[in-house]
Amino acid sequence: MQYILTGFTHDMGFRVFAFEGVGEDRVRTEYRVKADLALIRRYGIRVQELPLLCRAVLERRNETKEQRTFTYTEADMCVQADVRATRTAATQKKNPPR
């Protein structure tokens, strides 16, 4: 299934992203993923990164369930922060200061 971002709204400290899922049969299904804006600041996630991170939540979903609304959780944000820290450490190790 492919997911297309169709827009976003604000809902009491959350940014809610709207996606359309397009299946192999070309049927379109609406999905929503919300992210807490206060938590993204705590984990150093930029607002510009949220659409891709929220799409990843949809890509990991269990297709047997009929759930249409998801949340980009604090656990997901923690994993993203760890990945960023690992990349930064690898870059600094590869390019030592002169």
Side-chain angles (χ1 to χ4, degrees):
M1 182 170 286
Q2 293 180 333
Y3 298 99
I4 302 165
L5 178 68
T6 58
F8 67 89
T9 59
H10 294 281
D11 182 24
M12 298 181 71
F14 288 89
R15 185 163 283 188
V16 182
F17 293 93
F19 291 90
E20 273 191 348
V22 181
E24 291 179 12
D25 55 357
R26 294 296 187 216
V27 173
R28 294 178 180 261
T29 308
E30 291 186 17
Y31 295 94
R32 302 226 181 280
V33 182
K34 69 179 189 175
D36 188 335
L37 295 177
L39 285 177
I40 67 166
R41 287 184 204 101
R42 183 184 313 166
Y43 288 98
I45 297 171
R46 296 184 308 229
V47 175
Q48 295 87 342
E49 297 176 52
L50 281 179
L52 289 176
L53 297 173
C54 289
R55 187 180 74 185
V57 169
L58 293 174
E59 290 170 347
R60 291 189 310 257
R61 76 180 182 85
N62 185 352
E63 291 191 28
T64 59
K65 294 184 179 180
E66 292 298 319
Q67 185 178 2
R68 299 274 197 292
T69 304
F70 299 88
T71 302
Y72 185 60
T73 64
E74 187 171 3
D76 294 330
M77 293 180 197
C78 186
V79 168
Q80 180 63 26
D82 290 343
V83 167
R84 181 180 296 114
T86 302
R87 279 192 213 140
T88 301
T91 302
Q92 290 175 351
K93 185 176 180 182
K94 188 171 88 174
N95 300 325
R98 293 181 182 183

